[in-house]
Amino acid sequence: MGRLRSYSYLPQDLLEEILTRLPVISIIRFKCVNKSWYNLFENHTFIAKHHRHHSSQKNPSLLVEVEDSTTIPQRSVMSLHLADGLDSGVSLDMPFIPERLVYISDCINGIICLRELSSRLVLWNPAVREYKVIPNPPSHVHSPSNVCYDYPTFAFGYDHISNDYKLVQIGTYSTVLYDSIDQILHQVVHIYTLSTDSWRQIDTGFDHSILNFPGECSNNLYLNGVYHWPGCIILDKHGQHCEVIVCFDMRTKCFK
Amino acid sequence: MKFCTVKQYFDDENNNNVTNGIATTVIPLPNKHLKIKANNKEMEQYEQELLRNVMPQELTKLILAANYLNFKEALDFFCRTVANAIQNKSVDYVRKFFGLESDFEPGEEEKLCKEFAWSFEGVDED
């Protein structure tokens, strides 16, 4: 037991090699060891290194939405460790009170974006049991005849340059012209930035009236900081259209 | 190629970084590694066998040796072993293990422990 002192000279970089290999729950507990460890575990560089190490381990898990339709329909989230088989699911308890029906929208760097039926958005990190309810985006109302066309399309992404998380919402609104039966579709794009906890509208620079986004979309793809949606350009009134892929870069905030 | 520093070690008689005992543990590892490279299970068993008689505290010396010899697989293995040994332990155990002391203000530590209370579930007895 007198040999315990031998650890006090372990250099910082080797100590970090050990700490990087700890599971998240241990890291949270060891924030209480001393101020230096607390600061280390809050440091973005260490967090990124820890995340990189654990992401590179070859033991994937699946996030699964579970719907229980036996009595009143309810949905919850489970984590399934593939190597242990399909029966090994562990329910992830939400530290907030969810509405009955929740949908997983995206999961980036261990942060899950949940959408509730009422369109409330919650960002949730199950590993550290922290969550944030996103404030509602400003609704865009020109006149009483504006109606929200469908569920807004939105995306959750990460800008690695500013180390910030962003949500993009595309709301499609229609305006009815009083002397015509035509509807004009407007699309309004808002971006939410986690570090400032605020929404702002952005100008996308292309003609929204011909570009149609599916409201509720399960074919999205997020890759390398760019979000991809399948979309549809309406070519004429007879329903002719061509399908396109629309990309949004989280960093430059540009659509293509 | 893995051991460019080994020759230097043997040439340098005043080396205090790596004792002989540690060297005999670390140096056979890469040969064994190459032989059973394809079979992870077997390697794991070999590693468990190797460390069965080593106290967790002595792993520091092994880590320093592996780092000095620039032997990445051994470094990863020893660091993982220490991480596994401490991951379920209490804050006090970890302080004693690394020779650290709390420098929080009175009350600050209690506040943190309360905030992170969920992470203390299932911790091993000291």
Side-chain angles (χ1 to χ4, degrees):
Chain A
M1 285 298 117
R3 303 227 247 153
L4 284 170
R5 289 222 23 105
S6 67
Y7 264 103
S8 55
Y9 64 78
L10 197 65
Q12 184 69 9
D13 60 334
L14 292 181
L15 178 63
E16 284 184 26
E17 285 296 319
I18 297 173
L19 299 177
T20 302
R21 287 158 173 79
L22 286 171
V24 176
I25 190 171
S26 306
I27 291 200
I28 299 297
R29 187 184 332 123
F30 297 156
K31 279 185 179 179
C32 302
V33 167
N34 65 20
K35 283 185 183 172
S36 165
W37 281 38
Y38 180 87
N39 291 330
L40 175 69
F41 296 144
E42 295 267 302
N43 178 283
H44 288 302
T45 310
F46 177 82
I47 291 170
K49 190 170 160 189
H50 180 272
H51 182 71
R52 262 198 313 273
H53 171 80
H54 287 270
S55 304
S56 67
Q57 302 300 299
K58 293 186 175 60
N59 51 351
S61 295
L62 272 181
L63 270 178
V64 179
E65 285 175 349
V66 177
E67 182 156 334
D68 172 13
S69 306
T70 48
T71 51
I72 304 164
Q74 274 194 340
R75 293 175 74 102
S76 57
V77 178
M78 289 177 77
S79 172
L80 200 63
H81 193 188
L82 290 174
D84 297 338
L86 292 176
D87 291 333
S88 67
V90 173
S91 195
L92 298 178
D93 294 322
M94 301 182 212
F96 52 93
I97 300 170
E99 294 175 9
R100 276 190 298 112
L101 298 173
V102 292
Y103 301 85
I104 298 175
S105 162
D106 291 293
C107 178
I108 292 168
N109 293 344
I111 297 182
I112 303 176
C113 181
L114 286 176
R115 186 168 56 80
E116 295 176 318
L117 200 59
S118 63
S119 292
R120 183 170 83 142
L121 294 168
V122 182
L123 293 181
W124 173 39
N125 185 336
V128 297
R129 305 199 189 181
E130 284 177 10
Y131 70 95
K132 180 165 176 58
V133 178
I134 307 298
N136 289 327
S139 61
H140 195 89
V141 180
H142 285 302
S143 72
S145 60
N146 267 43
V147 167
C148 191
Y149 192 63
D150 207 342
Y151 278 118
T153 306
F154 63 94
F156 175 51
Y158 174 67
D159 175 354
H160 63 273
I161 303 293
S162 60
N163 189 30
D164 206 350
Y165 290 89
K166 297 194 168 128
L167 276 161
V168 179
Q169 178 180 271
I170 303 168
T172 307
Y173 299 85
S174 61
T175 306
V176 177
L177 296 175
Y178 291 112
D179 55 354
S180 143
I181 55 169
D182 286 330
Q183 279 186 335
I184 296 182
L185 296 177
H186 302 279
Q187 276 160 355
V188 179
V189 183
H190 290 99
I191 286 197
Y192 170 85
T193 306
L194 186 63
S195 59
T196 61
D197 190 26
S198 62
W199 290 90
R200 62 188 177 91
Q201 189 173 335
I202 60 165
D203 178 24
T204 56
F206 59 71
D207 184 358
H208 290 287
S209 58
I210 59 164
L211 183 58
N212 220 354
F213 284 91
E216 213 181 310
C217 186
S218 52
N219 293 333
N220 311 328
L221 176 66
Y222 177 77
L223 194 64
N224 293 335
V226 179
Y227 209 89
H228 302 76
W229 288 276
C232 191
I233 293 181
I234 299 169
L235 294 172
D236 62 27
K237 284 188 183 148
H238 302 291
Q240 291 274 332
H241 61 273
C242 77
E243 286 170 6
V244 295
I245 294 178
V246 183
C247 306
F248 179 74
D249 187 324
M250 289 288 160
R251 188 173 50 85
T252 61
K253 303 183 226 355
C254 289
F255 280 93
K256 267 195 288 191
Chain B
M1 56 177 172
K2 281 189 194 286
F3 277 123
C4 35
T5 38
V6 174
K7 186 175 182 308
Q8 190 189 332
Y9 161 69
F10 283 116
D11 290 342
D12 180 4
E13 285 171 358
N14 289 325
N15 197 311
N16 290 321
N17 287 333
V18 183
T19 63
N20 283 324
I22 303 299
T24 52
T25 310
V26 176
I27 287 173
L29 272 176
N31 286 330
K32 193 75 186 177
H33 220 265
L34 286 166
K35 277 186 201 153
I36 54 176
K37 190 163 62 161
N39 192 336
N40 282 328
K41 219 65 185 118
E42 219 182 300
M43 191 64 203
E44 269 174 36
Q45 282 170 348
Y46 176 77
E47 287 169 349
Q48 295 307 324
E49 191 62 41
L50 199 65
L51 290 186
R52 208 151 38 124
N53 299 319
V54 176
M55 292 289 289
Q57 288 86 343
E58 288 178 345
L59 278 165
T60 310
K61 299 200 177 99
L62 288 170
I63 290 172
L64 286 167
N67 186 51
Y68 179 70
L69 294 169
N70 204 24
F71 186 4
K72 293 214 174 350
E73 285 89 350
L75 183 66
D76 174 58
F77 169 54
F78 296 139
C79 289
R80 250 190 298 126
T81 307
V82 175
N84 288 340
I86 63 171
Q87 69 182 16
N88 269 343
K89 299 295 185 202
S90 69
V91 171
D92 273 336
Y93 182 98
V94 167
R95 283 192 191 127
K96 290 199 187 81
F97 196 80
F98 289 101
L100 300 168
E101 277 175 20
S102 169
D103 54 354
F104 287 117
E105 305 298 322
E108 221 179 337
E109 192 184 329
E110 280 82 21
K111 198 166 141 228
L112 282 176
C113 290
K114 204 168 156 199
E115 188 184 340
F116 303 128
W118 59 270
S119 68
F120 286 81
E121 290 163 21
V123 168
D124 294 343
E125 296 286 328
D126 279 349

